[in-house]
Structure formats: C-alpha cells, structure tokens
C-alpha cells in the first residue's frame, strides 16, 4: 500500500538541469504527465553558472518549442573565434564555413531558469529539495527520495524514469553491476574556471596556446566574462588568488599585446578534465540523459548541447512507449551514441590542440602536432571547414 506521501506519474525525472527540464517541458507540451525532483532549491540551482554556448541546432529546437523568448532577446549570436600563439593570432569566421550555422551565447543558469518558469507556468510539478537516494525497481521504476529539510522519505513511482541527475547522481549508481560499462579517459591537468565581473575583452572567443599552458576567454553577458587557465594536476583554487589569475591571463592570453578588461572575480573553481561515455544509457525502463550518461571536457562547449539532444530523443521514444510500442526505449542508446561520440572526438581533438601536455614524455611531439593543426586551421580552408562543422555542431 502506497504511503500518502508517495508520488505517482507517467514519467519521473530526477534532476532539474538542462536535460531534465527540457524533457519536462516537451512532455508537458505533449500532454504526458511527469514530475521533476531535484535535491537543490531553485535558488541554489540558479547560482550554478556553467555553460554558455548553445549550438545552432539547439537554438532552433528551443525556438520551435516556444522556449526561447528570453534567450533570443537577451542572448547573442557568435560566429567568429580567435586563436593566439606566441607567433601571432588569427580570427576564424566559422559560421561562414559551416553553412551559416553559429552559436547562441546565453548562460546555462538563465536557460534553466526559463525552462523552470515555462514548465511551472504550464502547471508542471517540480519538487525542489527532494533528493533521489536510490532506484528500487527499474522495470516499473520506483525512485526513493528524501526531503532535504524534513528528512521525510517519498517514493516516486512511474512508468519510465529519466536519470538527469548529472555525473555524480544517484540514478546511474542504482544500476546493478554489469548493467552498463563506462569508456573513460582522464586528462593530466586541470582547468581553473573563472567568472569575472568584467565586460568581455573581445566580441569573440579567444583560445590561446602558450608555452605555459592554455588560456581562453568567452563572453557570457555584457558585464560578465568567463576565462579558463590550464593548471597543474595538483593545484587547488587557493594556489590561484585573483592577482595571480590576472597576471597569468595577461601572460598566456593577452601575450602582453592585447589588453584584457579586468574586474573582480565572481567565481574560481578547479575542474578536473574527464571524458566518459556509459553504454547502454538505459536499464529496463530507466534511461539516463545528459551528464548522467556521459561527460565531456568543456573544450568545444558540447556538454549541455548533448544533454538537450538526449532530451529530444528521450521524449520521442517515451511518447511511443506510452502509446504502446514496447520496444521504443531500446532505440535510445543506438540513436544517441553516434552524436555523443562525434562530440567526444571533436572535444578530444580540440583539447589536444590547445593544451600543453607537460608531464608527458611525448610533450614535445604533441606540441608539434598542435602547432601543425593550428597552421592547418589558418591556412587550409578544408581543415577550417572541418573544424567549423565540428565546433558549431550538426544541422
Ligand atoms: C565550467 C563549465 C563550463 C561549461 N561550458 C559548456 C558550454 O559552453 N557548452 C556546453 O554545451 N556545455 C558546457 N558545460 C557542460 C554543461 O554545463 C553540462 O554538460 C550540463 O550542465 C549537463 O546538464 P544535465 O542536465 O545533464 O546535468 P546538470 O546540469 O548537472 O543537472 C543535474 C541536476 O540534477 C540534480 N541532482 C543531482 N543529484 C541528484 C539527486 N540524487 N537527486 C535529485 N537531484 C539530483 C542537480 O542538483 C542538478 O540540478 C560546461 C561545464 C562546466 C563545468
């Protein structure tokens, strides 16, 4: 007998990030009953600044779904990127090389906020502060959840469960041993990710390859910019006080030739770089979407974009499954994996071009390859066009 606090719905969604919330909105538009749970409060989720580069296909997808109103009015198109080395710099108009497709720049937390508003204003149900602890059954999924404030436990019972709870979430961890396998690679350095209360130093992204390491600049809003700095594997944020951050950025990114617009640092965090793909992305009627199923280095800005595409495939297949097509969910993994591996391949290639593999015996060789790739991008239109389509994503 269900306890009075138990929740029953067609589709249970664990995680109110981009994957979970896009699933929720698309299901709502199709009249399919769903409930979202997230372990954090809405304010905590909104405070998490991460991605900012939305691929063209996802900009169109959000527009078509009627979820892009604020994104279109407050975000901006981005079509060029710059590469800097000690020898010089060049700007690539990648949109013109990719058939006019470009990026849309809009902070992830604002998109998450828009998706939350739209789902709630359509009568949607999001339980903030409710953490999934475990999934007790995957055939007729039952997620065991706990209220972060009261400690009260609730069971979320559903026909299909979406594990959209990020890389460290509880849903994938609940799969039995051997149900899925992870193909993983760790990279031998970290990135210091920085958010500065400073207007962008340029109207485009800048990627810099310096003998001391990689550095990058990205716009987020007219008053906030993101920077990245390659750091040692054992570095901690405390090793990087603001004055050291700006000094290193001036050296590695500005090359003392291009001034940076500096400002107070809003956020500094150390990011270890890991690439993982779990396969299959499903166990019985529980499916994984977004970072819960795969993580990718931020190089190339693919993680959130993959999460949004997972959501689209999930919704199409769940609609068929609830309509009686018993085998529909089995199409999920084969449908998504080629796109996920294409993005992993691009991100891995890009990471190797931009970062200095200092600790490796082969570092000199790798740097030679990276320099050759950069020269190809600058001087060979076919190489530049290949980069452009990988960077901006498929149609
Ligand atoms: C610094 C940085 C920059 C990035 N830049 C880009 C970029 O430019 N472009 C891009 O495409 N990607 C980028 N990414 C990647 C992108 O942010 C992620 O891929 C994206 O957030 C994945 O979305 P998601 O919905 O799968 O997971 P998340 O956004 O991680 O959401 C998961 C949600 O699940 C909740 N949750 C976790 N555990 C539980 C639980 N047990 N119970 C209930 N809820 C739970 C969490 O609170 C969270 O709200 C970047 C990442 C970082 C760190």
């Amino acid at each position: 007998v269900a306890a009075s606090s138990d929740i029953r719905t067609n589709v249970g969604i664990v995680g109110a990030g981009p994957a979970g919330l896009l699933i929720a909105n698309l299901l709502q538009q199709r009249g399919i009953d769903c409930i979202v749970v997230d372990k954090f409060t809405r304010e905590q989720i909104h405070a998490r600044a991460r991605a900012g580069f939305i691929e063209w296909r996802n900009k169109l997808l959000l527009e078509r779904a009627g979820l892009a109103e604020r994104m279109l009015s407050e975000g901006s198109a981005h079509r060029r990127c710059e590469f800097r080395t000690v020898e010089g710099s060049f700007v690539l108009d990648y949109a013109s090389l990719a058939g006019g497709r470009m990026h849309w720049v809009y902070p992830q937390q604002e998109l998450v906020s828009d998706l939350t508003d739209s789902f709630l204003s359509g009568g949607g149900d999001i339980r903030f502060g409710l953490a999934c602890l475990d999934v007790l059954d995957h055939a007729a999924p039952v997620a065991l959840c706990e209220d972060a404030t009261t400690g009260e436990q609730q069971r979320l019972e559903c026909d299909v469960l979406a594990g959209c709870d990020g890389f460290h979430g509880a849903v994938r961890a609940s799969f039995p041993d051997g149900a899925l396998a992870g193909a993983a690679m760790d990279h031998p350095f970290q990135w210091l990710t920085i958010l500065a209360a400073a207007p962008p130093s340029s109207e485009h992204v800048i990627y810099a390859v310096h003998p001391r390491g990689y550095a990058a600049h990205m716009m987020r809003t007219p008053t906030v910019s993101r920077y990245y700095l390659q750091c040692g594997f054992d570095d901690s944020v405390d090793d990087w006080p603001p004055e050291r951050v700006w000094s290193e950025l001036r050296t590695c990114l500005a090359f003392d030739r291009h001034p940076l617009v500096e400002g107070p640092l809003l956020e500094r965090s150390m990011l270890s770089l890991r690439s993982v793909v779990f396969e299959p992305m499903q166990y019985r009627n529980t499916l994984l979407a977004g970072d819960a199923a795969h993580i990718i280095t931020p190089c190339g800005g693919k993680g959130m974009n993959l999460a949004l595409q997972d959501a689209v495939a999930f919704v199409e297949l769940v609609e068929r499954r609830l309509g009686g097509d018993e085998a529909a969910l089995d199409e999920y993994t084969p449908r998504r994996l080629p796109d996920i591996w294409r993005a992993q391949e691009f991100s891995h290639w890009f990471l190797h071009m931009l970062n200095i593999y200092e600790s490796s015996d082969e570092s000199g060789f790798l740097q030679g390859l990276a320099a050759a790739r950069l020269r190809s991008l600058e001087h060979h239109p076919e190489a530049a066009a290949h980069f452009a389509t990988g960077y901006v994503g498929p149609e």
Side-chain angles (χ1 to χ4, degrees):
V1 180
S4 58
S5 61
D6 287 351
I7 320 164
R8 163 85 219 157
T9 184
N10 287 133
V11 184
I13 302 166
V14 182
L21 289 168
L22 184 58
I23 287 176
N25 276 280
L26 296 178
L27 289 174
Q28 185 181 57
Q29 292 178 0
R30 285 160 178 74
I32 298 172
D33 193 36
C34 62
I35 292 176
V36 185
V37 302
D38 198 290
K39 65 178 178 182
F40 288 132
T41 63
R42 187 170 179 179
E43 294 67 36
Q44 286 169 320
I45 294 173
H46 192 253
R48 220 174 32 203
R50 293 167 82 184
F53 269 63
I54 297 171
E55 288 180 350
W56 195 244
R57 59 177 171 166
N58 287 326
K59 182 226 176 218
L60 297 181
L61 152 75
L62 293 163
E63 248 178 300
R64 276 195 301 268
L67 298 166
E69 199 182 323
R70 196 163 72 96
M71 182 186 98
L72 293 177
S73 64
E74 293 182 19
S76 57
H78 185 266
R79 53 178 304 134
R80 289 182 196 84
C81 60
E82 179 178 348
F83 293 94
R84 290 183 183 168
T85 66
V86 242
E87 279 99 43
S89 69
F90 63 97
V91 174
L92 200 69
D93 182 352
Y94 61 84
S96 63
L97 295 162
R101 299 198 301 286
M102 54 194 102
H103 287 109
W104 198 261
V105 184
Y106 188 59
Q108 172 171 335
Q109 71 275 23
E110 301 305 331
L111 177 63
V112 162
S113 178
D114 296 349
L115 293 174
T116 304
D117 282 342
S118 129
F119 183 61
L120 292 176
S121 64
D125 185 347
I126 308 181
R127 315 279 171 110
F128 292 106
L130 194 61
C132 172
L133 303 178
D134 196 5
V135 182
L136 306 176
D137 185 354
H138 292 276
V142 178
L144 178 67
C145 301
E146 184 178 80
D147 187 301
T149 318
T150 63
E152 185 201 348
Q153 292 201 343
Q154 288 180 306
R155 289 153 54 100
L156 170 62
E157 299 175 356
C158 48
D159 302 311
V160 181
L161 183 69
C164 307
D165 48 349
F167 186 63
H168 301 288
V171 177
R172 194 187 65 249
S174 74
F175 284 15
D177 286 349
L180 86 186
M185 177 169 258
D186 290 311
H187 304 280
F189 42 77
Q190 304 183 90
W191 282 3
L192 180 67
T193 71
I194 302 137
L195 218 48
S201 296
S202 153
E203 62 183 19
H204 49 246
V205 171
I206 305 164
Y207 298 107
V209 186
H210 190 275
R212 291 168 69 90
Y214 158 75
H217 155 276
M218 320 207 158
M219 328 55 82
R220 281 296 185 256
T221 69
T223 53
V224 174
S225 307
R226 186 176 273 301
Y227 289 92
Y228 293 115
L229 266 176
Q230 183 182 351
C231 308
F233 200 63
D234 299 319
D235 282 14
S236 78
V237 171
D238 295 340
D239 297 324
W240 289 89
E243 51 288 5
R244 184 176 176 207
V245 168
W246 285 116
S247 153
E248 194 73 6
L249 284 171
R250 280 193 294 270
T251 307
C252 297
L253 182 66
F255 291 92
D256 298 326
R257 307 191 283 269
H258 316 266
L260 297 177
V261 185
E262 301 185 17
L265 301 187
L266 300 171
E267 201 184 288
R268 281 168 299 154
S269 53
M270 217 33 100
L271 189 75
S272 54
L273 296 171
R274 194 146 206 246
S275 312
V276 190
V277 178
F278 289 100
E279 191 180 337
M281 297 162 63
Q282 170 191 8
Y283 180 63
R284 299 195 171 161
N285 289 322
T286 301
L287 274 62
L288 305 173
D291 281 11
H294 38 76
I295 47 161
I296 184 163
T297 77
C299 206
K302 298 293 176 193
M304 179 175 74
N305 285 294
L306 289 177
L308 297 175
Q309 288 293 316
D310 287 351
V312 173
F314 176 96
V315 169
E316 276 177 35
L317 296 171
V318 165
E319 189 175 27
R320 276 176 40 204
R321 169 73 183 74
L322 296 175
D325 179 350
E326 294 290 327
L329 300 187
D330 299 340
E331 290 178 29
Y332 182 60
T333 300
R335 187 189 286 195
R336 288 300 303 135
L337 278 182
D339 188 37
I340 292 162
W341 278 111
R342 182 199 49 74
Q344 290 283 9
E345 192 280 330
F346 177 79
S347 182
H348 186 81
W349 173 88
F350 204 21
L351 189 78
H352 275 76
M353 184 171 77
L354 297 175
N355 289 261
I356 304 296
Y357 282 70
E358 241 179 10
S359 54
S360 154
D361 291 343
E362 295 106 13
S363 89
F365 189 79
L366 291 170
Q367 282 179 46
L369 293 182
R373 286 172 180 156
L374 272 173
R375 278 194 298 275
S376 289
L377 279 190
E378 187 175 6
H379 299 297
H380 299 293
E382 324 78 61
H386 182 69
F387 165 82
T389 49
Y391 188 48
V392 84
E395 288 181 38

